[in-house]
Amino acid sequence: ASPSVAEAAAQATKPSAMLSCRSLLSQVLKKNRKLKKKNKIRNRKRKYVSRKQESITQQEHENEYLEEEDAEDEEEGFDLKSSAPSHTHGVQPLGNLFFNPGSVNSRNTGLGNLQILSDELVLDVLGFLDATHLGILATVSKSFYIFANHEQLWRNIVLDNLNGEFLFNGSWKSTYVAAGYPSFDVKSISVSGSLRVRDFYSDYLFQSWLCANLEMKPEWLERDNIIRKRCISVEEFISNFEEPNKPVLLEGCLDNWVALKKWDRHYLMNVSGDVRFSVGPVEMKLEDYFRYSDLVREERPLYLFDPKFAEKVPVLGTEYEVPVYFREDLFSVLGNERPDYRWVIIGPAGSGSSFHIDPNSTSAWNAVIKGSKKWVLFPPEVVPPGVHPSPDGAEVACPVSIIEWFMNFYGATKNWKKRPIECICKAGEVIFVPNGWWHLVINLEESSCHHTELCQQVESNFSKH
C-alpha cells in the first residue's frame, strides 16, 4: 500500500467497455442454446421411443450433454449476493433488448436530442450541476429521472459539499437531503420508494449495480501459490525473499501484538472518540464511517486509509511493533521529513485497491488484524491485463473496477507463463510486497466484520533503484 493507492482507486472510476454485461448476455444465449438442444434431444428420443436400445443410448447421450452444459454454466456463471436488491430503477443490460424485439429503449426517447451522447458522457455533463438542478432535471422525463438519480453523482455532491459531516442514510441522495433538509422525510426517496422505469436498457448504468452485488466466485479465491513461512530467521528472509525481491506470507509475526487482541470496532471507536480519519477525499469519525460501511452497497466503497493514525490517537501507535524482518529502514534517517510510510486501513467487503506499484522504490509489509483480503501480485516486468501504465510509469490507468477486473481479465491469467502470485491473507498474517511488484487487493468480509490492517513501507539495503 502507498500514498498512491487511494489515487489509483480514484483513477479507476471510468470503465471502458461493459464486458460484464456482455458476459451476462453470453450466458443467456448459452442457456437458450442449451434449452433448444435439450428439446431437440427429447424430440429425437420420442421419435425413437419404440427402439428400446436406441432410447437408452439416447438417454445416456442426453445426460452426458446436460452434465457438460451444467459444468460449463457453473464455470462461467456469476452469482448475486443473497442480500442483493433488484436495480433501484429497473435498469436492464442492453443485451436484454435483444430478447424484447417489440420494445423501444426508453433511454433514448427520454433523452431527446441528447440520446446521441454515450451514457458516460451524459453523466459527465450532469456532473456539472448542483443538487437543486439535478433534482429539477429528474422531473423532465423518466430517462432523466434515472440519470439524475445516479448514485455516483450524489456521492460526489456529498463528498464535495459536506466535508465528511454526514450520516450515511442508505443512498447518497437521501444522505444529502437528510443533511441539508432535516425536516424532510427521506423515506420518500428511499430505494423502496423509487420510480421503476420499464424498457430502460443501459450497460453503463447497469454494470455498477452488477459489480456491487456480485459474489466473488470460488475460483477467484482458490489459487494460493505464495510461499508461506513461519518463524524464519532474519538472515533467511533477506537471502530468500528481500534480496531476490520475492513476495512471502509470514505467519506468527503478530502473536504478541496488543492490536490483534483489542482492535475491534468498539475499541477503536472508544479510543478515537471524535478524531477524524482520512476516508477518500474527506475525513470522518470512526462511528460515522462504520455506519456508512454497514449500509453501503456500491461498486467502489470508500476506504479508510490514514497515514497519521498514530499521531492522532497515540495509543494505537503503541499497540503494535514492527516485525523483526522489517526493522532496518533507511527512510528513518529523514526523521520528520520522511514521506508518509504507515497506514491504518479499514473497509467493508468489496473495498480495496486496484493495480498499482508502491512509489519511491519501496517495499512494504501489510499485517491483517481483522478479516481477510485477497492479493494478486505480478512481478515488475509483467503488466497485469487491463492495466495501462504511461511510458514513464508515473501514471496508471485501470479502466475497470476490482470486481470487473476479476470478471473480465482474471481468467486469462490461467494460461500465462508467468502467472500472478496469489493468496488470501488472514488475521494474524503478514505479507511482504517487494518493490516494483504490481498488486491488487480486495477485502472479503461483509461489513459486520470490518477488515482492519496495518501497512508500512520500508526502504532497505536491497531495495532496487
Side-chain angles (χ1 to χ4, degrees):
S2 67
S4 64
V5 173
E7 297 171 6
Q11 289 172 0
T13 57
K14 295 184 178 180
S16 53
M18 297 300 103
L19 299 178
S20 57
C21 299
R22 295 193 187 104
S23 297
L24 289 180
L25 175 57
S26 175
Q27 293 172 56
V28 174
L29 290 171
K30 179 173 295 188
K31 288 181 179 179
N32 274 270
R33 290 196 302 268
K34 172 184 172 182
L35 182 60
K36 289 179 181 178
K37 291 183 179 180
K38 182 177 178 181
N39 291 335
K40 187 176 181 180
I41 290 171
R42 287 176 175 168
N43 290 335
R44 192 179 302 155
K45 180 183 174 184
R46 294 190 191 102
K47 182 177 180 181
Y48 295 105
V49 70
S50 61
R51 300 170 64 182
K52 183 177 180 181
Q53 186 59 44
E54 290 188 15
S55 289
I56 294 174
T57 303
Q58 194 69 26
Q59 181 65 52
E60 291 173 349
H61 287 324
E62 178 182 347
N63 290 339
E64 289 176 5
Y65 172 76
L66 293 178
E67 287 173 3
E68 291 174 0
E69 287 289 310
D70 289 340
E72 194 172 349
D73 285 342
E74 184 178 350
E75 180 183 350
E76 297 194 12
F78 298 100
D79 294 324
L80 294 177
K81 296 175 181 177
S82 57
S83 58
S86 59
H87 191 284
T88 309
H89 305 301
V91 174
Q92 302 177 58
L94 192 58
N96 285 16
L97 187 60
F98 176 79
F99 299 104
N100 295 282
S103 298
V104 175
N105 193 349
S106 60
R107 179 258 186 213
N108 297 334
T109 55
L111 285 180
N113 290 336
L114 293 182
Q115 66 181 271
I116 194 173
L117 302 179
S118 67
D119 293 344
E120 184 178 8
L121 190 53
V122 170
L123 291 172
D124 285 343
V125 172
L126 299 193
F128 290 102
L129 302 182
D130 59 21
T132 300
H133 289 102
L134 269 183
I136 294 172
L137 187 64
T139 66
V140 171
S141 68
K142 292 178 180 179
S143 185
F144 274 117
Y145 173 84
I146 289 179
F147 278 101
N149 279 285
H150 187 57
E151 275 288 88
Q152 187 63 45
L153 293 174
W154 290 96
R155 168 169 152 158
N156 292 341
I157 288 174
V158 169
L159 298 181
D160 290 344
N161 292 280
L162 301 185
N163 299 316
E165 297 280 352
F166 64 87
L167 294 177
F168 189 72
N169 206 42
S171 76
W172 287 105
K173 182 178 181 180
S174 61
T175 297
Y176 179 82
V177 173
Y181 307 92
S183 62
F184 187 83
D185 181 15
V186 294
K187 292 180 180 179
S188 63
I189 56 174
S190 66
V191 171
S192 59
S194 298
L195 175 67
R196 295 182 65 82
V197 178
R198 293 184 59 185
D199 298 328
F200 190 106
Y201 303 95
S202 166
D203 280 351
Y204 189 87
L205 297 182
F206 182 79
Q207 68 88 24
S208 60
W209 170 88
L210 177 69
C211 291
N213 290 284
L214 278 182
E215 291 278 11
M216 288 287 286
K217 294 178 67 174
E219 52 263 43
W220 297 345
L221 303 175
E222 63 187 14
R223 192 186 301 172
D224 190 328
N225 57 354
I226 197 169
I227 298 174
R228 295 173 176 265
K229 291 291 182 179
R230 175 182 286 271
C231 298
I232 62 174
S233 66
V234 174
E235 292 74 21
E236 184 180 351
F237 170 76
I238 292 175
S239 61
N240 292 337
F241 302 104
E242 186 178 41
E243 189 172 13
N245 212 45
K246 292 182 179 180
V248 62
L249 191 144
L250 301 166
E251 301 171 343
C253 293
L254 314 185
D255 292 348
N256 297 322
W257 277 23
V258 175
L260 194 62
K261 302 175 178 64
K262 295 176 67 174
W263 284 20
D264 57 27
R265 74 153 70 187
H266 301 293
Y267 175 76
L268 293 174
M269 285 193 296
N270 183 51
V271 299
S272 300
D274 292 332
V275 172
R276 297 183 178 277
F277 294 88
S278 297
V279 178
V282 300
E283 292 198 337
M284 299 176 67
K285 293 187 295 185
L286 272 183
E287 181 181 5
D288 295 343
Y289 177 73
F290 283 135
R291 173 190 172 102
Y292 156 79
S293 55
D294 282 343
L295 296 174
V296 74
R297 180 62 62 83
E298 57 186 344
E299 185 179 7
R300 299 175 179 87
L302 291 173
Y303 210 13
L304 189 152
F305 200 93
D306 197 291
K308 303 296 183 185
F309 70 97
E311 290 80 5
K312 294 177 179 179
V313 187
V315 67
L316 297 181
T318 68
E319 294 180 338
Y320 80 97
E321 60 182 14
V322 176
V324 63
Y325 310 106
F326 312 113
R327 290 177 184 171
E328 180 188 45
D329 183 7
L330 300 185
F331 264 153
S332 62
V333 301
L334 297 178
N336 294 331
E337 299 301 317
R338 74 177 300 167
D340 292 338
Y341 69 102
R342 61 179 179 178
W343 297 264
V344 64
I345 306 170
I346 302 175
S351 59
S353 301
S354 55
F355 276 110
H356 63 281
I357 295 175
D358 291 338
N360 303 322
S361 296
T362 53
S363 300
W365 58 269
N366 183 289
V368 176
I369 298 171
K370 295 289 183 185
S372 62
K373 67 190 305 180
K374 168 75 177 184
W375 285 79
V376 182
L377 304 97
F378 286 88
E381 69 275 13
V382 179
V383 178
V387 176
H388 308 284
S390 61
D392 60 0
E395 298 181 359
V396 178
C398 298
V400 295
S401 64
I402 297 173
I403 287 290
E404 200 170 357
W405 183 87
F406 275 99
M407 292 174 66
N408 299 321
F409 297 104
Y410 178 78
T413 65
K414 292 181 180 180
N415 301 318
W416 285 26
K417 277 189 176 182
K418 290 189 176 181
R419 294 184 180 183
I421 300 295
E422 300 181 46
C423 68
I424 294 177
C425 193
K426 299 178 181 179
E429 298 177 338
V430 177
I431 187 172
F432 168 65
V433 182
N435 81 86
W437 279 66
W438 294 93
H439 49 284
L440 167 151
V441 293
I442 181 169
N443 298 323
L444 301 179
E445 266 70 18
E446 290 296 340
S447 54
S448 59
C449 178
H450 287 82
H451 175 92
T452 305
E453 64 190 279
L454 275 172
C455 176
Q456 184 162 322
Q457 288 180 337
V458 292
E459 180 73 15
S460 66
N461 286 326
F462 293 106
S463 292
K464 298 176 182 177
H465 299 271

